[in-house]
Amino acid sequence: MTDADGPRDATAATQALQRAVRETLPFHDTQDFEDAARGRVAALPEVEITNAQARVVWSLRDYPFLAGEETPPTVNPSLWRQARLNMHHGLYQVTERVYQVRGFDISNMTIIEGERGVIVIDPLISAEVARAAFDLYRAHRGDRPVTAMIYTHSHTDHYGGVRGVLDEARVATGEVPVVAPARFMEEVVSEAVLAGTAMVRRGQFQFGPTLPKGPRGQVDAGLGKTTSRGTVTLIPPTLTIAEPLETHRIDGVEIVFQLTPETEAPAEMHMYYPALRALNLAENATHNLHNLYPIRGAQVRDANAWAKYIDEARDRFGRATDVAFAQHHWPVWGTGRVQEFLAAQRDLYKFLHDQTVRLMNHGFKPAEIAERLALPRGLASTWHVRGYYGTLSHNSKSVYQRYLGWYDANPANLNPLPPVERGRKYVEYMGGADAVLARAREDFARGEYRFVAEATSHVVFADPGNVDARRLGADALEQMGYAAESAIWRNAYLQGALELRGGRPATSGRAPVSPDVVRAMSLDLFFGYLAARLDGERAEGVGFVLSWVFPDLGRRYVLTLQNCALTYLADRDPERADATITLDRPVLDRLVLRELTIEAALAQGVAAIAGDPAPVIRLFHLLDDFPLLFDVIEPRR
Ligand SMILES: [Zn+2]
């Protein structure tokens, strides 16, 4: 044992679990290591990328401990294997004219060489790492210009670095198209803006960007190492793929786009390149069981659609495919292996969906279904469907949620007490905190970590100052983290342990809402974002109607505040308005990003108000700002 407030050793119970993994999984099958290394053109001697202020935004330097083949007792051997596979980094040739830069972020940048330059697919999370990745490509393949940018889907790790490789001026002139699936912008805003702050904080638990790296800390994120921490940018798409299948010739490369809505992302698409006999599966078929619900929080995804689109891709393109790859992990080569790979991925999501639905119709509750489901034998021994990212457990609960919601139909669970009050009652019923801890210590000794974590959490919510409860809770979470095959479960457990021992971290690792994303929003989305920032408590009793005029866009909006709700209608003249505010859209962006106050805008003459200025000023003062680091494992301060 180390000191009381640091990470501990794996217990005998945890080590027994690790041994069972070693004995049951096919560690002799090392094909993935060959594939992950195949086609490497070049790599940086050391991957560490900094921003303009010399702050490290991405580094693989913290992972030398993964060089060893021998798994330490504090890591699940299956996850250790995946964590080592995800250490492969550099520029790789996938096939003729197709390259990938891997290991420069959690996602891959794919580069296709066209007639005049290169098509860049998915420019990672942040501009700094995207630039470094593209520089690596150009250092070895020549200084080719970007002739098109493609975003496969609406998640930040597939668009955020765009300004690192593409100058917006070339998009504005129409020289470089930016291609994305239908509903891309709406979904970006829904995920990255409306719920953005909450997701970034919760994402710390999923990806562990601020966890110490090491055999007792963060080792991987399943899909890749972790998330980069540079500048998130966005250039909105100029060409939207709207039909189920669309073929375009871009820079001389024929691309068949297959829309796959409501799969891994609400807006997503596959691509098939007929001349290259190559299939890009975006993020729908990667080397792990993915998340139907990422624990950072998101809308639940449709496992049934996911399976269907994989099957369609396999059926339509699989027979004429020599290599399949995705925007994470490494490719699969050979038509036969591609077919097999896609069939297993398809079956994985279909099994999860159908069996959850079946059990749910028998009346099983989410936790019971999660406990009961196990992969069929044929899938269980297949590395690429293992739960390094999603798990059968939380994914089956998500299928339930998609159909039946959060409520398990037991009225005792319909309106339970909130965490603090519930914690107090539990502790009181169980005979006080000391009695709870005495029982919890006995359970800990027996390896019953799940209930120890739950019971001690009640004590912490009743009394966050109970150091013994915090320590024991941390110890229990930590053992579950050590045993977890899922990297994101491991990260969540270890982040929880870290915060129980030492409180909230000082930094979140990433800014919540990118100014680029705010600027890229349509006015409708923009007013939606504004409405979700209205402080309803302070808006009590306030009411007004504001008419907005945007001369630069030729648009008008009517905004109504009443009953603490902000509603808006586009292109209407109100019957009665308290004020009319006239301003160009960029001024509105600066107001909402708090780069400019409404008073200053009026003084500078970049905004004008006809009628009563008071409600306009009031509106901006009623907008809420969100703290980045809220409490998770203990009561809100
Ligand atoms: Zn991704």
Side-chain angles (χ1 to χ4, degrees):
M1 296 269 175
T2 50
D3 68 286
D5 285 323
R8 289 165 176 258
D9 291 332
T11 61
T14 300
Q15 295 194 42
L17 292 173
Q18 317 289 43
R19 261 196 310 281
V21 171
R22 268 196 298 275
E23 283 157 15
T24 46
L25 290 180
F27 285 91
H28 59 272
D29 173 2
T30 55
Q31 176 76 46
D32 282 329
F33 284 90
E34 278 170 47
D35 291 341
R38 178 169 166 175
R40 184 150 109 161
V41 176
L44 297 178
E46 206 150 62
V47 185
E48 182 164 273
I49 299 162
T50 52
N51 67 4
Q53 291 75 43
R55 182 171 65 85
V56 174
V57 298
W58 177 256
S59 178
L60 293 179
R61 288 178 64 178
D62 304 327
Y63 294 103
F65 63 91
L66 284 167
E69 219 169 302
E70 187 77 21
T71 312
T74 51
V75 184
N76 180 302
S78 179
L79 176 57
W80 184 256
R81 176 186 177 280
Q82 183 82 347
R84 297 185 71 229
L85 283 163
N86 281 335
M87 280 303 287
H88 289 82
H89 63 88
L91 172 68
Y92 294 82
Q93 180 169 23
V94 174
T95 185
E96 196 194 333
R97 291 165 65 179
V98 181
Y99 292 80
Q100 281 188 323
V101 180
R102 301 187 206 129
F104 277 56
D105 206 324
I106 194 166
S107 41
N108 298 336
M109 178 187 289
T110 301
I111 298 160
I112 301 184
E113 296 178 349
E115 284 171 358
R116 294 172 294 114
V118 294
I119 302 163
V120 175
I121 301 166
D122 292 358
L124 311 179
I125 292 177
S126 49
E128 295 85 349
V129 293
R131 188 173 300 120
F134 197 51
D135 283 349
L136 177 67
Y137 166 80
R138 285 199 295 204
H140 295 275
R141 298 293 305 164
D143 190 10
R144 302 169 196 236
V146 176
T147 50
M149 174 64 62
I150 299 176
Y151 307 137
T152 60
H153 62 290
S154 50
H155 294 153
T156 316
D157 54 324
H158 302 269
Y159 66 79
V162 62
R163 287 188 196 274
V165 295
L166 181 58
D167 181 355
E168 191 167 12
R170 299 185 57 226
V171 178
T173 59
E175 187 190 344
V176 179
V178 177
V179 187
R183 293 193 53 76
F184 175 86
M185 282 306 299
E186 289 87 339
E187 299 303 341
V188 164
V189 172
S190 152
E191 282 221 351
V193 179
L194 282 187
T197 307
M199 275 188 200
V200 168
R201 171 64 169 136
R202 293 173 55 126
Q204 278 187 295
F205 285 78
Q206 173 162 335
F207 300 106
T210 50
L211 269 180
K213 315 284 187 273
R216 296 176 182 200
Q218 204 262 11
V219 300
D220 203 56
L223 264 186
K225 297 318 293 176
T226 183
T227 46
S228 74
R229 302 199 255 159
T231 313
V232 175
T233 64
L234 174 62
I235 299 176
T238 57
L239 172 62
T240 296
I241 304 300
E243 297 299 320
L245 286 167
E246 276 188 35
T247 303
H248 293 262
R249 181 168 284 275
I250 298 176
D251 193 11
V253 181
E254 188 184 345
I255 305 179
V256 183
F257 293 92
Q258 178 201 4
L259 277 188
T260 68
E262 299 302 321
T263 51
E264 188 267 332
E268 186 149 353
M269 60 188 182
H270 298 154
M271 277 172 271
Y272 177 63
Y273 317 103
L276 308 174
R277 292 178 60 87
L279 178 59
N280 183 340
L281 296 149
E283 197 166 328
N284 285 329
T286 49
H287 288 270
N288 51 216
L289 166 57
H290 210 291
N291 284 309
L292 297 181
Y293 163 82
I295 60 174
R296 67 170 159 85
Q299 293 182 36
V300 169
R301 301 158 184 173
D302 183 352
N304 214 20
W306 200 323
K308 183 187 82 166
Y309 287 118
I310 291 177
D311 202 21
E312 266 185 29
R314 179 179 184 271
D315 179 62
R316 191 176 287 274
F317 311 119
R319 279 178 289 272
T321 292
D322 295 334
V323 60
F325 56 93
Q327 296 300 125
H328 291 267
H329 298 141
W330 50 94
V332 173
W333 282 272
T335 308
R337 283 187 57 220
V338 167
Q339 294 261 21
E340 219 174 282
F341 172 78
L342 291 177
Q345 287 278 322
R346 170 199 65 196
D347 296 346
L348 173 66
Y349 295 103
K350 192 70 177 133
F351 168 82
L352 231 168
H353 174 270
D354 293 349
Q355 294 313 306
T356 303
V357 169
R358 182 179 71 85
L359 293 173
M360 155 186 121
N361 281 316
H362 275 295
F364 287 96
K365 301 194 187 310
E368 294 167 330
I369 299 171
E371 205 70 17
R372 190 183 163 113
L373 275 191
L375 282 177
R377 272 197 298 279
L379 291 179
S381 58
T382 302
W383 286 119
H384 67 84
V385 305
R386 304 280 322 166
Y388 302 115
Y389 200 43
T391 65
L392 275 187
S393 171
H394 75 258
N395 275 342
S396 65
K397 289 176 179 168
S398 315
V399 173
Y400 188 101
Q401 187 198 317
R402 188 170 175 94
Y403 288 98
L404 298 178
W406 59 269
Y407 176 47
D408 69 358
N410 176 357
N413 299 326
L414 188 53
N415 189 24
L417 290 174
V420 171
E421 289 77 357
R422 185 150 49 138
R424 286 185 188 140
K425 293 302 274 183
Y426 265 105
V427 171
E428 188 191 319
Y429 274 38
M430 290 160 99
D434 290 343
V436 177
L437 292 181
R439 299 284 294 271
R441 280 194 194 93
E442 289 167 24
D443 270 356
F444 185 91
R446 280 191 289 268
E448 293 186 30
Y449 307 125
R450 287 164 73 183
F451 195 73
V452 174
E454 182 177 332
T456 52
S457 179
H458 285 309
V459 182
V460 171
F461 272 85
D463 173 15
N466 188 322
V467 175
D468 289 340
R470 296 182 75 110
R471 283 184 177 157
L472 188 55
D475 290 349
L477 291 180
E478 185 169 75
Q479 293 302 318
M480 291 194 280
Y482 291 166
E485 184 179 39
S486 164
I488 66 175
W489 278 34
R490 177 185 175 92
N491 293 339
Y493 285 135
L494 297 187
Q495 184 73 30
L498 191 76
E499 296 192 15
L500 279 169
R501 286 173 180 147
R504 265 185 343 215
T507 68
S508 71
R510 180 171 138 207
V513 175
S514 156
D516 251 4
V517 175
V518 170
R519 283 188 283 264
M521 285 190 279
S522 70
L523 275 176
D524 239 41
L525 296 172
F526 196 99
F527 280 109
Y529 171 55
L530 212 63
R533 279 181 58 189
L534 178 81
D535 184 334
E537 287 161 28
R538 286 196 294 130
E540 189 65 73
V542 184
F544 47 71
V545 176
L546 298 179
S547 176
W548 295 74
V549 180
F550 297 94
D552 57 335
L553 305 175
R555 303 285 307 272
R556 306 174 75 86
Y557 264 77
V558 179
L559 195 70
T560 302
L561 173 65
Q562 64 174 38
N563 294 322
C564 307
L566 205 55
T567 53
Y568 45 96
L569 285 169
D571 306 316
R572 298 284 198 292
D573 284 316
E575 288 164 16
R576 173 197 71 79
D578 294 291
T580 298
I581 175 163
T582 304
L583 75 180
D584 284 343
R585 168 64 195 265
V587 178
L588 182 63
D589 294 334
R590 294 179 59 206
L591 287 172
V592 169
L593 290 166
R594 303 252 191 243
E595 295 170 5
L596 184 68
T597 64
I598 180 68
E599 292 87 348
L602 293 170
Q604 291 168 22
V606 293
I609 297 174
D612 181 7
V616 180
I617 293 167
R618 189 83 187 266
L619 170 69
F620 284 98
H621 289 284
L622 285 174
L623 294 186
D624 208 353
D625 290 295
F626 306 117
L628 201 45
L629 290 165
F630 48 79
D631 288 300
V632 174
I633 48 81
E634 59 190 299
R636 274 174 49 92
R637 258 167 273 178

